[in-house]
């Protein structure tokens, strides 16, 4: 943190703390005013009180933009060049796929969580719903931990007291959990919009200042970045982060493929798409989301390249731990007065805080609705509704935030790249294939969903446990041990296809899967199953009426 403690003078620190404090207080007030009522089902507002489609789109773009996007990706571009830009491209590709393939069917068939889509398409059930909720928690927890650790580090460094990191993590975790519990979908959406209104202009201005420093000539900027990074022409070629040879190729393809699928199935983004007013509204929201992210990633790419050109030497000397502060180091190089550094520090705070709020809410709804909601006995085929379901989701969100804060304190000194790779791998290999199969393959069954969810999640954890991220290198979680079996650090090229294969294999080996690849519906021998299907349809109609 030494490279950061000198970035802000006392007056700048006071400005940052004042802006962030005002933002948190305003967000608390907005959440109280616009948040979910006590009897709202799963913290989702009724149609008359939802955000407009374009507002949901901006909030969905904010869900995709975590603090890792603004810090780790910018640092990756600054240090390794082309590979960092590839991650941004993969994320944008995932948004396009989400807009084209999923957003409308998801809103049409799901009422509260994505597991409703599986029920509506005939590949659901109690076991599938519980499994979906559990794997969603496996995705949300690492993401929450990363956000809390990064914002805790930044807060402690900006205050000038690194020893206060644990207190910062706990305090921020408590405040953000309160915002999620009070606000619900609508209240946290307002927080996301406020964050985007502040974050996007600051990053665009920073990118403009970088281009202005080089006379508006991108060629000069790239040449200076290649020189400042000490990589030369290699800065503009693949391999700076992913490596060379076959391992580098597997890492690069897995990075692009895995990032696209993970963006396609991010739980917080799915939650917001489901909460739009209609399938058409979901499509409009997706367009706004894509437009926001194109502008944002363009600005982040320029900021990362500018950091390599202007402060590459400083970042290299500070080491990997300083990459999270890359935007702040660049801000000091562009504006010695400290105003830009203060603005960028606010961006880091607000991005992390808003991400924690929405991910906590998504995890709480998954826990309350899909995991705990399956443990009770339905009455007359109906799930708990209104006050009971909303209270369960509130308590679940509170418990999720509390546990994530404790885990973040324990994991504060871990390699955060490992934690980030874990949630990306599970999300892209387990959640995305299940969603795509449920929408586009009539032969997809509950067994296929279970095999995909648990098999792909277990394979993703094993792939990272046996990689250099976990052991065998100085930056590993266990540097004193060496039990790695391969050198691949980004396993998306293996885990994602394995998830699709497991979903297919589980479905075709299911005894209910007929020879023509379509589920039988309403045959004479399956009158009871047909009746259960009608019951599920009526249950779904009741749920849609409530929502």
């Amino acid at each position: 943190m030494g490279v950061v403690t000198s970035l802000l003078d006392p007056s700048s620190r006071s400005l940052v703390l004042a802006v962030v404090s005002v933002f948190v207080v305003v967000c608390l007030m907005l959440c109280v005013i616009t948040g979910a009522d006590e009897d709202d089902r799963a913290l989702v507002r009724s149609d008359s009180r939802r955000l407009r489609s374009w507002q949901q789109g901006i909030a969905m773009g904010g869900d995709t933009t975590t603090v890792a996007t603004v810090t780790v990706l910018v640092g990756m571009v600054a240090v390794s060049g082309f590979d960092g830009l590839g991650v941004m491209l993969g994320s944008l590709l995932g948004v396009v796929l989400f807009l084209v393939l999923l957003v409308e069917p998801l809103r049409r068939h799901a009422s509260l969580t994505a597991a409703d889509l599986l029920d509506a398409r005939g590949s659901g059930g109690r076991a599938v719903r519980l499994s979906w909720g559990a794997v969603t928690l496996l995705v949300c927890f690492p993401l929450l931990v990363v956000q809390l650790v990064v914002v805790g580090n930044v807060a402690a460094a900006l205050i000038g007291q690194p020893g206060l990191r644990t207190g910062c993590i706990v305090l921020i975790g408590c405040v953000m959990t309160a915002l999620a519990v009070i606000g619900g979908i609508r209240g946290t959406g307002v927080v996301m919009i406020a964050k985007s209104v502040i974050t996007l202009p600051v990053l665009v201005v920073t990118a403009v200042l970088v281009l202005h420093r080089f006379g508006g000539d991108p060629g000069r900027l790239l040449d200076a970045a290649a020189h400042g990074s000490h990589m030369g022409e290699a800065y503009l070629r693949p391999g700076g982060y992913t490596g060379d040879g076959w391992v580098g190729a597997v890492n690069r393809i897995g990075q692009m493929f895995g990032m696209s699928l993970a963006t396609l199935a991010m739980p917080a983004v799915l939650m917001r798409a489901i909460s739009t007013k209609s399938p058409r509204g979901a499509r409009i929201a997706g367009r706004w989301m894509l437009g926001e992210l194109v502008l944002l990633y363009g600005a982040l790419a320029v900021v990362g390249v500018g950091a390599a050109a202007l402060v590459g030497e400083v970042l290299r000397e500070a080491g990997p731990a300083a990459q999270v502060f890359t935007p702040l180091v660049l801000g000091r190089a562009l504006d010695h007065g400290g105003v830009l550094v203060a603005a960028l520090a606010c961006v880091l705070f607000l991005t992390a805080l808003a991400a924690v709020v929405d991910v906590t809410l998504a995890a709480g709804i998954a826990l309350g609705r899909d995991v705990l909601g399956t443990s009770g006995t339905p009455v007359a085929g109906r799930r708990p509704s209104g006050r009971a379901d909303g209270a369960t989701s509130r308590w679940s969100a509170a418990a999720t935030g509390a546990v994530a804060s404790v885990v973040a304190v324990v994991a504060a000194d871990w390699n955060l790249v490992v934690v980030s790779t874990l949630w990306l791998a599970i999300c892209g290999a387990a959640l995305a294939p299940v969603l795509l199969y449920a929408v586009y393959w009539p032969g997809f069954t509950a067994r296929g969903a279970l095999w995909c969810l648990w098999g792909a999640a277990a394979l993703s954890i094993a792939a990272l446990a046996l990689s250099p991220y976990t052991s065998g290198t100085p930056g590993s979680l266990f540097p004193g041990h060496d039990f790695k079996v391969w050198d691949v650090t980004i396993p998306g090229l293996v885990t994602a296809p394995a998830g699709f294969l497991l979903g297919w294999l589980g479905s075709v080996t299911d005894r209910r899967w007929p020879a023509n690849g379509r589920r039988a519906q309403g045959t004479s021998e399956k009158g009871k199953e047909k009746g259960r299907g009608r019951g599920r349809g009526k249950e779904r109609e009741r749920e849609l009426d409530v929502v």
Side-chain angles (χ1 to χ4, degrees):
M1 291 188 183
V3 71
V4 181
T5 52
S6 61
L7 286 176
L8 292 179
D9 54 38
S11 60
S12 297
R13 287 196 183 99
S14 301
L15 176 61
V16 172
L17 294 177
V19 172
V20 173
S21 300
V22 170
F23 178 84
V24 171
V25 171
V26 170
C27 287
L28 281 169
M29 294 174 60
L30 290 174
C31 284
V32 171
I33 296 172
T34 65
D37 292 336
E38 195 172 314
D39 60 347
D40 279 331
R41 187 181 180 86
L43 302 179
V44 181
R45 301 290 303 188
S46 63
D47 284 339
S48 62
R49 296 294 301 277
R50 292 185 182 181
L51 297 173
R52 297 180 182 273
S53 296
W54 67 269
Q55 294 172 326
Q56 290 281 30
I58 294 175
M60 287 162 62
D63 285 323
T64 309
T65 310
T66 66
V67 72
T69 306
V70 180
T71 58
V72 176
L73 277 188
V74 170
M76 189 183 297
V77 172
V79 174
S80 58
F82 183 90
D83 288 341
L85 298 175
V87 175
M88 295 184 186
L89 182 60
S91 182
L92 283 177
L93 180 60
V95 174
V96 173
L97 292 175
F98 176 71
L99 178 58
V100 173
L101 299 178
L102 270 186
V103 67
E104 282 193 77
L106 182 68
R107 177 59 187 91
R108 184 177 295 113
H109 295 292
S111 59
L112 291 177
T113 70
D116 298 331
L117 170 68
L118 304 179
D119 288 341
R121 301 291 292 177
S123 53
R126 175 170 290 190
V128 174
R129 181 176 287 274
L130 188 150
S131 299
W132 177 273
V135 175
T136 298
L137 291 176
L138 284 178
V139 172
C140 290
F141 258 97
L143 181 55
L144 276 175
V145 169
V146 171
Q147 307 302 306
L148 288 171
V149 171
V150 171
V151 75
N153 283 331
V154 173
L158 293 178
I159 293 172
Q161 299 291 333
L164 295 178
R165 180 180 63 181
T166 298
C168 291
I169 292 174
V170 173
L171 177 61
I172 292 169
C174 292
V175 173
M176 295 305 101
T177 301
L179 287 175
V181 172
I182 295 172
I185 292 286
R186 181 179 172 87
T188 57
V190 173
V191 173
M192 278 291 174
I193 294 171
K195 185 265 291 185
S196 297
V197 168
I198 297 173
T199 298
L200 196 55
V202 171
L203 292 174
V204 170
V205 168
T206 305
V208 170
L209 290 175
V210 168
L211 289 173
H212 178 72
R213 177 67 66 92
F214 293 93
D217 185 355
R220 282 182 56 196
L221 173 60
L222 290 173
D223 290 341
H227 177 73
S229 65
H230 283 205
M231 295 176 62
E233 301 234 351
Y235 182 83
L236 304 177
R237 294 197 303 264
Y241 176 77
T242 55
D244 299 321
W246 72 269
V247 172
V250 171
N251 280 332
R252 281 191 295 277
I253 300 173
Q255 184 183 68
M256 178 75 71
F257 192 34
M259 192 71 187
S260 300
L261 289 177
T263 305
L264 178 79
M266 286 184 69
V269 176
L270 299 179
M271 173 189 70
R272 291 225 166 267
I274 293 170
S275 68
T276 52
K277 290 186 176 181
S278 65
R280 181 176 179 273
R283 187 173 66 250
I284 295 172
R287 291 172 180 169
W288 277 86
M289 173 188 178
L290 179 60
E292 177 186 355
L293 290 179
V294 167
L295 182 59
L296 176 70
Y297 283 141
L300 288 176
V302 174
V303 169
V305 175
L310 296 175
V311 294
E313 185 72 28
V314 175
L315 294 175
R316 189 168 53 257
E317 291 177 357
Q323 288 186 24
V324 71
F325 303 110
T326 299
L328 304 182
V329 179
L330 175 63
R332 171 60 80 184
L334 291 172
D335 176 26
H336 294 286
V339 175
L340 183 59
V341 180
L344 288 170
C346 290
V347 165
L348 298 187
F349 270 115
L350 303 185
T351 302
L353 299 184
V356 170
V357 170
D358 252 23
V359 176
T360 300
L361 180 61
I365 292 177
L367 177 60
R369 167 74 173 171
D370 296 330
V371 177
L372 299 180
T374 62
S375 60
T377 303
V379 179
R382 299 180 65 178
R383 292 184 178 278
S385 60
R387 188 182 299 272
D389 203 1
T392 302
S393 294
R394 287 178 187 277
W395 283 108
S396 298
T400 300
V403 173
S405 299
V406 174
V407 175
V409 171
V410 175
D413 293 320
W414 291 5
N415 186 349
L416 295 183
V417 177
V418 182
V419 185
S420 297
T421 306
L422 176 62
W423 80 261
L424 285 169
I426 296 177
C427 190
L431 299 185
V434 169
L435 287 175
L436 292 174
Y437 271 146
V439 172
Y440 292 103
W441 185 27
F444 190 53
T445 67
R447 175 187 281 186
L450 291 173
W451 283 27
C452 182
L453 288 169
W454 290 114
L459 181 61
S460 299
I461 294 173
L464 287 176
L466 300 176
S467 75
Y469 275 157
T470 305
S471 68
T473 63
S476 302
L477 289 179
F478 304 102
H481 300 80
D482 187 1
F483 45 83
K484 64 181 175 66
V485 299
W486 67 343
D487 294 324
V488 174
T489 55
I490 307 174
L493 184 59
V494 176
T495 56
F500 281 100
L501 178 62
L502 287 169
W504 172 81
L505 190 61
S507 296
V508 299
T509 57
D510 194 334
R511 62 185 179 183
R512 291 170 295 180
W513 196 84
N516 64 358
R518 291 180 176 270
R519 290 181 292 271
Q521 296 182 8
T523 60
S524 58
E525 186 178 49
K526 297 183 179 180
K528 291 184 180 180
E529 180 64 26
K530 183 176 180 181
R532 284 194 295 268
R534 283 198 298 266
R536 285 194 299 267
K538 291 180 180 179
E539 176 191 347
R540 172 171 164 70
E541 290 175 3
R542 286 192 295 268
E543 289 183 352
L544 290 175
D545 288 339
V546 172
V547 178

